[in-house]
Amino acid sequence: ASFAIPGPKRKPGELVQRLGVQNQGLSVSRWRIYDHHEVSKDSHILTVGIDSDSAKKLRTSFGLKPHLFFGRVSVRIKDQAATGK
């Protein structure tokens, strides 16, 4: 899953933890951080491996727009079936 995050770059672990706190039902303890890079000075992308329960919750409960800090972020989820994993 790739999260498009506005604002200054923060530590990836802090972002994952905050996503878990603010979005009930996400099992962030099962997530694995793969990449975190700046797109511009005001946005960055966090790429993590997530469990299937969290993917389902992000789609159904949050409409791929989970809460983070004082706003919402966009997330793209690549289906396991499409990647063959």
Side-chain angles (χ1 to χ4, degrees):
S2 295
F3 294 83
I5 303 171
K9 190 172 178 183
R10 297 177 184 257
K11 293 180 181 177
E14 175 187 355
L15 294 168
V16 168
Q17 181 182 24
R18 177 58 68 178
L19 283 162
V21 168
Q22 288 188 249
N23 300 281
Q24 187 175 5
L26 298 182
S27 302
V28 297
S29 62
R30 297 188 216 163
W31 294 12
R32 172 182 240 159
I33 298 167
Y34 290 120
D35 188 35
H36 186 219
H37 65 275
E38 209 168 50
V39 177
S40 70
K41 68 177 187 167
D42 295 323
S43 67
H44 47 108
I45 302 291
L46 175 67
T47 304
V48 295
I50 64 173
D51 60 287
S52 59
D53 291 336
S54 291
K56 182 178 179 181
K57 191 76 161 173
L58 283 165
R59 285 185 177 108
T60 60
S61 297
F62 304 110
L64 297 176
K65 296 253 185 212
H67 298 276
L68 185 63
F69 298 105
F70 297 106
R72 298 185 88 151
V73 295
S74 296
V75 62
R76 271 187 11 186
I77 299 173
K78 188 181 277 190
D79 289 323
Q80 286 183 336
T83 62
K85 295 181 181 176

